Each structure stands twice: as C-alpha cells, then as structure tokens.
Amino acid sequence: MSDSTNTDAPARSTARGRFRFREYHVTTVPDTLALPTRAAECVTGEDRNCGATSGPLHTPDELTRWIADHCAATGHELYEQTTRTLLRAEPGAWQ
C-alpha cells in the first residue's frame, strides 16, 4: 500500500497499524578503545590457493613478519589482507 503524501516512502499496513520508514543521518567513528585487527591469507597457487592464514594480528609489523616468514618457507608471493575495525554508530535526528 502506498502513502499518498510521500510516494517514495515505503509503507506497510498491518492489523496493528501503519509503519513508515524515514531516513535519518548516521555517522560512524572508529571505536578508540578497540585495536584494529589485520590478517593475511596466502592466495598463491595456480590450481588452488595455498590458504595459509596469519590469524588476527594487531600491528602492520606483525603482519609483515608473518608474510615474510611464510614467503621464506614456501616462496609464495601473493597475499590477501583483511583489516577489521570496530565502528560506533552515531545516529542523527529523524528527518
């Protein structure tokens, strides 16, 4: 069922009442109390990836060290890096 006052807003009619979704501004900021984590996975290989993973590490130097050790042991040269950071949502006012 559409809302005649705002045709762009989705609306839902149920036995309990009508709900309208409004837009509101949300910003995200890194959580300063949580350390970001980094991980690497070795994706070297022709038929399939090596698949070795570093596990979660907290500094770029730790990650580089793991990659260097794995490269020295295997000769593998291609890695995929993942960085995870906790973010805090700060919702703004309804519009």
Side-chain angles (χ1 to χ4, degrees), residues 1 12 14 21 28 33 50 66 76 79 89:
M1 175 180 276
R12 188 171 136 203
T14 66
F21 299 98
T28 57
L33 299 177
C50 167
W66 181 85
H76 295 170
Y79 299 85

Side-chain angles (χ1 to χ4, degrees), residues 37-41 53-57 63 80-84:
T37 58
R38 295 163 175 81
E41 178 181 353
T53 59
S54 66
L57 302 170
L63 189 62
E80 181 178 83
Q81 176 181 316
T82 305
T83 303
R84 298 184 71 160

Side-chain angles (χ1 to χ4, degrees), residues 69-94:
D69 289 344
H70 185 73
C71 181
T74 62
H76 295 170
E77 297 178 346
L78 192 58
Y79 299 85
E80 181 178 83
Q81 176 181 316
T82 305
T83 303
R84 298 184 71 160
T85 305
L86 288 178
L87 300 175
R88 186 167 305 284
E90 295 181 346
W94 286 93

Side-chain angles (χ1 to χ4, degrees), residues 13-75:
S13 180
T14 66
R16 300 177 85 192
R18 186 177 183 139
F19 300 94
R20 186 178 318 178
F21 299 98
R22 301 182 199 173
E23 292 185 26
Y24 58 96
H25 185 71
V26 174
T27 56
T28 57
V29 294
D31 186 342
T32 57
L33 299 177
L35 289 174
T37 58
R38 295 163 175 81
E41 178 181 353
C42 180
V43 293
T44 304
E46 291 182 22
D47 294 335
R48 61 183 172 86
N49 294 340
C50 167
T53 59
S54 66
L57 302 170
H58 292 289
T59 67
D61 289 341
E62 289 176 313
L63 189 62
T64 301
R65 175 63 187 251
W66 181 85
I67 291 171
D69 289 344
H70 185 73
C71 181
T74 62

